[in-house]
Amino acid sequence: MKQLSHEFLTTIWTTIAALIPSAIGATIAQFYEANLHWRDRCAAYLVGVSVSWYSVVGLKAFFHFDEFFAQSTSFLVALFAYRATPKFIQTASDAASSLPDLIKDKIFGAKK
């Protein structure tokens, strides 16, 4: 049991350590945006971390970049994704609000 808990904690720590550069990059990207609501900031932060993480994995697997170059390149990719998130949320909510009521009820559930 002790070995299992040690492996579990090691896995958790490895995951956190791998996400730290992405989280720092998303935090730095938030300093560039002044007039965002907290909802948009949180969504953009999650998008920035996710895109940065997966782009590092993809760049290393596809192009065989070293760790530093993959992280610096993925920071730029995540920065673009971060900046596009509020516009994407606004566009998606506008599209959902223009749907007919019958389709809205099927997708989002009928209001009671």
Side-chain angles (χ1 to χ4, degrees), residues 3-53:
Q3 178 69 21
L4 182 63
S5 64
H6 175 70
E7 289 179 10
F8 178 73
L9 291 176
T10 303
T11 302
I12 295 295
W13 178 249
T14 303
T15 303
I16 290 171
L19 288 176
I20 286 175
S22 304
I24 290 172
T27 303
I28 290 170
Q30 287 200 10
F31 290 126
Y32 292 115
E33 299 295 327
N35 298 324
L36 284 180
H37 298 290
W38 280 105
R39 175 186 61 112
D40 295 336
R41 275 192 197 279
C42 290
Y45 183 78
L46 290 174
V47 166
V49 170
S50 301
V51 167
S52 180
W53 166 257

Side-chain angles (χ1 to χ4, degrees), residues 2 11 33 59 66 81 91:
K2 186 177 181 181
T11 302
E33 299 295 327
L59 288 170
D66 65 335
T91 304

